[in-house]
Amino acid sequence: GPSQQKILAAMMEKPGRVFGMEELAELLWPLAHSYYGNMSHSIRSLVHNLRKRIGYSVIRTVPGIGYELVPKN
């Protein structure tokens, strides 16, 4: 869906850069910044579904921070 596309597009612009949960929430829902804490479940679900589409090894979880697109060598 469009939210998955936004995440993927942002990550493809900067492979290897770690995107924090708040940053991803702001990207997806720019006007809802006071609710970011409640959005982490939605982001995890979006990333899970994105991994199912493009491959589980493509997006790496950075514990306590967020996610990154694994750069191609």
Side-chain angles (χ1 to χ4, degrees), residues 27-65:
L27 176 76
L28 297 172
W29 305 287
L31 303 177
H33 49 83
S34 58
Y35 303 103
Y36 285 164
N38 302 328
M39 295 174 181
S40 60
H41 176 73
S42 297
I43 292 169
R44 281 195 294 273
S45 179
L46 284 167
V47 170
H48 174 75
N49 290 328
L50 189 54
R51 284 173 165 156
K52 282 202 286 195
R53 271 184 41 216
I54 65 173
Y56 286 89
S57 62
V58 178
I59 297 175
R60 185 173 80 91
T61 299
V62 181
I65 302 173

Side-chain angles (χ1 to χ4, degrees), residues 1 3 8-10 13 35 38 47 54 67 69 73:
S3 295
L8 185 58
E13 282 181 19
Y35 303 103
N38 302 328
V47 170
I54 65 173
Y67 301 97
L69 188 73
N73 293 334

